[in-house]
Amino acid sequence: MTEQITNIRIGIYLCDCDGKVSKKVDLQKAKTVIQSQAGFDYIRATDVLCGKLEQEKIGAEIDKYSLNRLVIAACVDPFIMRQFLQLADEKGINRYNVEFVDLGAVDSTEAAVAAANNALGKMHLRAEIGYEELAVTPDVLVIGAGSEAAAAATAIAKSQPVVQIDNVGTRVIGLDGFPGAFTVRLLENGQAVKKDFGAIVLALGAVPQYDKSKYGGIELGADILSLSQFINSGKDYAGKKVSFALGMADEDSLLSFAAVLKAALDLKGEGASEVNVLYEDMKVCADGLEQDYELARKKGVNFLKYTGEFQIVRFPSGIAFKYREPFLSDPVKIVADYIVLAEDFVPAAGTLELAEILDIRTGPGGFFQKDNVHFLPIRSNRAGIFFVGSCHGPIHGTDLYNEIEAVLAEVSAFAKGKVSVPSLQPKVDAEKCAVCLTCYRCCPHHAIEIVHGEEYNNMYYSAARMNPLACQRCGVCAAECPGKAIQLPLYSDQEILFEVKQPARIVAYACENSGFLASEFAKTLDPELQKDLQIVEVPCSGKIDIIYLLKALENGADGVMLCVCHKENCKFVWGNDRAEQRKERTQKILNQIGLGERIDFVHVAANQGNQFNTAVKAMAEKIRQSGTNPGKVVK
Amino acid sequence: MIVAEGKPVEKILEMIAPYKKVLIAGCRGCVTVCLTGGEKEVGILASQIRMARSKDGNALEVLEQTEERQCDAEYNAKFLENVGKVDAIVSLACGIGIQYLGEKYPLTPIYPGVNTLMLGANIDVGRWEERCFACGDCVLDKTGGICPIARCSKSLLNGPCGGSQFGKCEVSAPVKEDIPCGWQLIYDRLSALGQLDKMSEIIPAKNWLRAKGPRTYVREDLTLDRS
Amino acid sequence: MERKKALVIGAGAAGMTSALDLAAREVEVFLVEKGADIGGRAAEYCCKATDECNRCAACLVLQQKDKVAQEPLIQVFRNATVKEFSKNKDGFKATVASDGQDVALECQAVIVATGFDPYNLGRRSEFAYGLEKNVISGLDLEKALKEKGSLTAAFGPGINKIGFVQCVGSRDLSIGNGYCSRVCCMYAAKLAKLIRSELPEVELDIFYMDFQSFGKGFADFDKDLRESDKVKFVRAIPSRIYGFPYDRLTVRYTDSLSGKALEDKYDLIVLSLAITPSASSGELAQKLGLGLDDYGFLAGDSGEESMVTSQQGIFLAGVCQGPKDIPQTIGHAKAAAGKACGFLEV
């Protein structure tokens, strides 16, 4: 069900930017050529387009000619773009119906005409993008029993209704729906119930776990305690000697350090006769820890540094730490009444099961959240599901509160019960949809459902549908669809293939998060290098369809590049991995017909302009060796 | 679902070598679902063979069309116009579709673009496993719902052979990956169902005539008298 | 419908995050940046990916920069400072001097996101920073690697031994900086790993006090660093660095583990300069009526809401409130934007 594009009326404006453009481009000639090729409803070339009077004039022209799409060819900079977008907005033309052509970047009249025609062509092919008003449930489900969950629930309750469950007595057994309208299936006292929530916050916490293998096999007992045993013991340690050991366990977090500093200070306050802390690296990289450390030293807590390892020894009158003091290089024995050992933190029971039920990824150590910077600090791979606290890796103190506030900022978007979003999610042509589930399975964000009804014009009366609040617009589904039933607005196959109708020697499909930005940076380093290069921007490399690569070659490019985010850095979880798989297959397709090495797959981040240029040079060398593309199809 | 795989392109190029203009016909049924013969694959193959022929200096014009199901005549009628324009058809439908489309247009040569592999299930994206042999005499009632014909390498009917080891079939080794022993699966399932006694029930020798073609299936209660 | 308006001061990682989040809720944003371009310090950082992403998050900042440029609801003022600021019954009035012109703005909420300045060594010449060309800061190295693409391209082929010096101005009670800058150990480690991937033979030493490693899977990262990347850890903070012999650097230090006073030669020294309050934060605090903490960072609520200030409608985002890494900064800025949205009732 492609949205019918009816009555497109395009206005195209050419700006000389006060004589700057006409140095390289004959603007009047360009206008005449464009005019002769039609495909618009109004055209005007002028000296300066961004003045106030001009803006008023354009506004009047939009009304007079009932324009609903604009192509602005000018020296494009963000300030000017913003001005036109605002003008368009006032006239009811949304930002998706305005296309800019950078005349500052072209150096001939032909190039200017080509760029303008490209923009006009895309404007004609672009589906209408409206805004959707959606009703959402403000209620938030907080899952977890500990203090972190309680803190999150309390904070969120200030802005909207919250239900907190411990996931033990009341357990999540299923999840349907999408952000703003999740239906959570719960097992409540053995009874299955369904409840509606707009968002879900996971705050299961982490649990301490003593691992004796990290302490030479020492068993815990009356005088050797784990840190959590000590904290919960509630005993009076007045007059006692207590020694803590840090650094052998819990290497990834600051929790033990924070807890030991607090315990040591408390012990001093309660009158313990001696408090020792053995450490290898004193970790204080969180708010307040350095201050606690300083205070503890002032209060007479002994901080003793070991290197490598220590032993715990028992002798008739007590126990002691034994280690080699690095500075004295002598063995030292620290006798104590109690020895307290740091523990590791592991995910709370039920973490993995919940991850499976909610279809969210886990990362190192089995904690929630993929180890991918795009998800930090609180996001999951599914919109509307967030993490707080140690359930996604042990965190400490103020960091927890910052996370809670960040989650609150996200979930509060649903507090009013409705939201308005641009309808940018992919659209499915039901006639072509085979309901094969490929998109459903490939979606990294669990944003797709299969819907049924008379209106879906195929033999199944069904089709896939992308949820506007869950969808992140990566386009992976569109590239995977075996029936070509899925089109991503602004990046439809038609629009992208239109761009490579007459490709440059090298076509680089570049992810807008990495390769595209790197190419812009690269241009400033060596503008010459991009002369034979055409950048085609995609929202994610996972959108790069095999047919895009083949069509660029079929239409005459000698080489094709895929410029993608580094491994484990895809904003859309696995878009870059899918792109790599498709590159492999495409290269095979070329090998089968003897076209040689013509595809490069490049991991390049936004700040790697040099690396981008190196990759372009490598590609140029590769096609120099492979020769001109013999597969070009002459029409 | 019918599962198929793409044919090696050199074979396809050989088949269509004499022609100047071909139609690649896709199918929106099983081969779309198994990612082998839908509109997307039609586009990829078309582009590939266009380039291959261009490289050989022997340009080939390729039309692309994908319709609902090539195993139904009504849908095949939709290819009429394009078939009239070409020298030959390459069909990406299953073996049924290829033949049936060919029958519809008997004067245009038709070639297979795929190998039809099996009746299988889509385990996950990119993985299919055989589940049914279409033997015409179902025994799933006796085997815990797991088919010994399709899932035992020897299609044994009464328990595993001596080649079942640690739950795997001995033919696994030369094949790409471990194949579970079908009878181990049956045993495990019956055991879980508390129906292990079915293991001692002898399944009589099968009438393989029902598995052999050419088969025709007619339902008198449904056939239409179009006179 | 009249859109609510917000002023965001500072267009770095925090300011851009807040601005984008506000715009997403239909708030019109005035984004005031004192530099010639938006992006802040992190926009100059290099990518530290080796065979995979090493989670430095610098790329996120450039992505945001691109989004800000395309967001019609965000109006950017470059080369701009807040000249005058006052409160009235409708909100706030600010005069912003931008590119030499004064612009009067009215808004209902303010987010301060002025970031940090690296510790100014000033007249402390013992590290020879600013005196020897190959004594640089971590920020300088980031910038050089980003601009040039590799260590060799940036510093020539003669670099055989590199020393990273941690805690220059951090955790230093003698100058009143009784806090850890939180990010330096991780970026030094990641830069060392990156250099190792380029130059398999170069010697890499890290001078440190306590190695501040934390984060998911860091124990493994740390192990790799010591074992397969062969990064040597020296527990010492150098007492002096000087240019000797010709074109090399000598580092004098006392190894706190052995107690021995040692000297060693290096070709490049990278100082992890502390994150300190930005030079303008005192003045800005005064203008906006905000407090400062013990170290001169802008003071947020001391309890759970560090993005909330003593002034209603004014919020803090990112490192101006205290040291944070990029993801923490983004989280904090999101929270600040959330608070502002709550305040603006949007």
Side-chain angles (χ1 to χ4, degrees), chain C:
Chain C
M1 178 199 73
E2 180 75 358
R3 286 198 179 98
K4 295 276 175 58
K5 294 183 177 64
L7 171 68
V8 176
I9 308 172
M16 293 193 300
T17 303
S18 291
L20 286 167
D21 277 17
L22 287 164
R25 302 272 276 263
E26 295 283 315
V27 175
E28 206 176 319
V29 181
F30 309 116
L31 183 57
V32 174
E33 167 56 42
K34 78 172 173 210
D37 194 8
I38 61 168
R41 295 192 185 277
E44 299 184 331
Y45 297 170
C46 65
C47 170
K48 292 159 209 78
T50 48
D51 52 347
E52 67 169 45
C53 170
N54 277 317
R55 287 95 181 163
C56 77
C59 56
L60 301 187
V61 180
L62 295 182
Q63 291 161 20
Q64 286 177 324
K65 193 178 156 185
D66 190 51
K67 289 214 176 69
V68 168
Q70 291 180 32
E71 176 52 63
L73 286 179
I74 301 175
Q75 189 175 354
V76 179
F77 297 90
R78 292 180 177 75
N79 297 315
T81 51
V82 177
K83 243 170 94 176
E84 284 160 29
F85 187 86
S86 62
K87 207 168 160 177
N88 60 26
K89 65 172 177 41
D90 300 322
F92 306 97
K93 275 176 91 165
T95 307
V96 169
S98 170
D99 282 322
Q101 280 188 326
D102 284 1
V103 189
L105 301 173
E106 286 183 17
C107 62
Q108 292 81 47
V110 179
I111 292 182
V112 183
T114 46
F116 68 99
D117 279 333
Y119 173 56
N120 183 355
L121 277 162
R123 280 191 298 249
R124 289 182 65 185
S125 61
E126 69 262 36
F127 293 121
Y129 184 62
L131 303 175
E132 292 293 333
K133 76 171 173 38
N134 274 7
V135 176
I136 60 171
S137 71
L139 298 182
D140 297 333
L141 179 58
E142 294 258 14
K143 211 169 159 176
L145 289 174
K146 185 195 170 201
E147 292 300 325
K148 303 292 179 191
S150 72
L151 192 88
T152 312
F155 297 96
I159 306 289
N160 299 314
K161 189 163 180 171
I162 303 173
F164 289 87
V165 179
Q166 301 309 105
C167 294
V168 180
S170 302
R171 306 186 68 198
D172 187 345
L173 293 176
S174 70
I175 55 165
N177 284 359
Y179 61 89
C180 165
S181 292
R182 302 183 72 165
V183 301
C184 330
C185 285
M186 294 299 280
Y187 81 63
K190 287 171 182 178
L191 285 168
K193 208 173 171 57
L194 177 68
I195 293 171
R196 170 61 72 234
S197 76
E198 180 195 338
L199 302 167
E201 299 300 328
V202 72
E203 281 183 72
L204 294 163
D205 294 355
I206 297 183
F207 292 92
Y208 76 109
M209 217 188 287
D210 290 296
F211 202 64
Q212 304 294 333
S213 56
F214 73 103
K216 284 186 159 196
F218 194 79
D220 293 335
F221 182 90
D222 194 52
K223 196 165 163 255
D224 270 4
L225 199 65
R226 289 165 203 262
E227 289 169 13
S228 52
D229 293 328
K230 298 191 177 54
V231 174
K232 198 173 105 193
F233 283 77
V234 184
R235 191 170 191 263
I237 298 300
S239 57
R240 220 186 136 200
I241 295 167
Y242 54 97
F244 178 83
Y246 171 72
D247 82 0
R248 292 202 86 188
L249 298 162
T250 294
V251 175
R252 183 181 296 165
Y253 63 95
T254 302
D255 186 326
S256 76
L257 297 181
S258 66
K260 287 200 183 95
L262 298 165
E263 279 194 348
D264 213 344
K265 306 273 186 292
Y266 290 83
D267 301 302
L268 184 68
I269 289 290
V270 184
L271 305 177
S272 288
L273 300 180
I275 286 179
T276 59
S278 76
S280 61
S281 60
E283 196 192 322
L284 191 67
Q286 217 165 27
K287 247 178 223 158
L288 272 59
L290 305 177
L292 297 175
D293 72 8
D294 295 349
Y295 311 110
F297 290 104
L298 295 170
D301 178 276
S302 61
E304 299 170 7
E305 299 176 341
S306 63
M307 54 298 295
V308 175
T309 69
S310 53
Q311 298 290 337
Q312 258 211 337
I314 305 183
F315 306 92
L316 304 179
V319 182
C320 68
Q321 182 267 329
K324 291 170 190 67
D325 64 18
I326 295 173
Q328 287 167 342
T329 297
I330 291 174
H332 198 250
K334 275 186 167 298
K339 286 279 169 218
C341 287
F343 178 76
L344 295 170
E345 296 174 348
V346 290

Side-chain angles (χ1 to χ4, degrees), chain A residues 19 49 78 89 151 225-226 260 284 306 315 319 373 444 464 485 571 581 586 590:
Chain A
L49 209 50
D89 190 42
L225 305 169
S226 73
V260 164
V284 291
Y306 66 89
F315 51 95
I319 46 174
V373 288
K571 187 174 176 184
Q581 288 171 296
T586 312
L590 299 187

Side-chain angles (χ1 to χ4, degrees), chain A residues 66-119:
Chain A
S66 314
L67 304 176
N68 50 23
R69 295 189 179 192
L70 298 176
V71 173
I72 310 290
C75 60
V76 175
D77 89 12
F79 178 77
I80 290 169
M81 285 166 73
R82 183 174 180 277
Q83 197 180 346
F84 284 103
L85 291 172
Q86 276 191 334
L87 172 69
D89 190 42
E90 280 165 27
K91 293 286 167 193
I93 302 174
N94 73 35
R95 64 178 80 171
Y96 309 107
N97 285 331
V98 184
E99 188 78 16
F100 292 93
V101 175
D102 189 0
L103 287 185
V106 299
D107 48 13
S108 69
T109 308
E110 292 71 39
V113 171
N117 276 339
N118 187 42

Side-chain angles (χ1 to χ4, degrees), chain A residues 431-432 434 436 438 441-442 459-460 479-484 545-547 550-551 553-554 578 585 589-590 592-595 630-634, chain B residues 8-10 13 28-29 32-33 35 38-41 43-52 54-56 60 64 68-69 75 122-125:
Chain A
E431 248 180 82
K432 292 182 170 187
C436 66
T438 305
R441 289 173 181 152
C442 289
M459 62 197 225
Y460 311 101
E480 301 283 352
C481 176
K484 287 261 146 257
D545 202 315
I546 290 176
I547 200 72
L550 292 175
K551 277 288 177 189
L553 293 167
E554 190 185 321
R578 295 306 277 174
R585 181 173 170 211
I589 287 174
L590 299 187
Q592 285 163 352
I593 57 173
L595 288 194
K632 177 179 177 175
V633 177
V634 187
Chain B
V9 75
E10 52 275 25
L13 285 167
R28 242 172 245 151
T32 292
V33 178
L35 317 182
E39 187 170 326
K40 179 192 173 101
E41 293 301 318
I44 290 171
L45 180 65
S47 182
Q48 189 184 20
I49 62 179
R50 256 185 230 121
M51 285 197 276
S54 199
K55 173 176 165 272
D56 296 342
L60 175 75
E64 305 168 30
E68 207 64 61
R69 274 194 307 255
Y75 293 122
N122 194 180
I123 306 302
D124 198 352
V125 185

Side-chain angles (χ1 to χ4, degrees), chain A residues 15-27:
Chain A
C15 176
D16 192 9
C17 295
D18 217 1
K20 255 190 286 174
V21 172
S22 52
K23 279 178 195 153
K24 294 184 205 160
V25 178
D26 182 341
L27 214 59

Side-chain angles (χ1 to χ4, degrees), chain A residues 145 154 166 193 336 408 418 420 464 501 538 545 550 553 581 593:
Chain A
T154 311
D166 57 7
V193 292
L408 181 58
K418 64 175 197 315
S420 167
K501 267 206 156 131
V538 286
D545 202 315
L550 292 175
L553 293 167
Q581 288 171 296
I593 57 173

